[in-house]
Amino acid sequence: QVQLVESGGGLVQAGGSLRLSCAASERTFSGYAMGWFRQRPGKEREFVAAISWSEGSTPYADSVKGRFTISRTNTKNTVLLQMNRLKPEDTAVYYCAAEQSIVVVRTGPRYWGEGTQVAVSS
């Protein structure tokens, strides 16, 4: 059964940090590329970052490049999103996603978590 569960969201002041975690079932995780997306208030869901199974590819959205870092621990079926120097415009629901290829995970992943809320106060 495909299962992705996010955690780590919360309220933080601008300039602060949060680390999001996504726990995946082994079937979902093994060999899959993983991604993070977000949906800001009144906006469509957008790509944030992704990581290939081999960790050789880690594309980021321009808006988070240099501030966010995606990583994965394959032995624990976990993908992390370390978010530093947070800004009020990073306020969103953050979703974990999985797909078999790094290309498709950026554009149209099949598997989604239910999301975790991140709020950044000014």
Side-chain angles (χ1 to χ4, degrees):
Q1 185 175 355
V2 174
Q3 194 169 24
L4 299 170
V5 180
E6 303 95 337
S7 61
L11 175 64
V12 64
Q13 287 189 329
S17 298
L18 278 176
R19 188 174 71 172
L20 304 183
S21 179
C22 174
S25 60
E26 184 174 356
R27 178 190 170 190
T28 308
F29 201 76
S30 181
Y32 275 61
M34 304 294 293
W36 286 97
F37 289 71
R38 67 185 181 187
Q39 187 163 17
R40 294 185 278 183
K43 305 285 187 181
E44 292 188 353
R45 189 154 52 186
E46 61 182 358
F47 168 76
V48 174
I51 186 165
S52 60
W53 167 251
S54 66
E55 304 177 62
S57 178
T58 53
Y60 292 91
D62 288 343
S63 58
V64 307
K65 205 172 290 183
R67 299 188 297 123
F68 291 10
T69 303
I70 190 170
S71 61
R72 65 191 296 162
T73 304
N74 289 343
T75 55
K76 296 183 179 180
N77 297 343
T78 301
V79 61
L80 303 176
L81 185 68
Q82 178 66 43
M83 305 186 296
N84 298 328
R85 292 185 281 134
L86 283 160
K87 305 175 182 180
E89 53 263 42
D90 293 318
T91 294
V93 178
Y94 284 73
Y95 297 90
C96 178
E99 187 50 74
Q100 288 182 310
S101 95
I102 189 71
V103 173
V104 180
V105 81
R106 293 184 63 173
T107 57
R110 286 174 290 170
Y111 307 117
W112 294 91
E114 294 191 352
T116 185
Q117 176 72 53
V118 171
V120 184
S121 62
S122 56

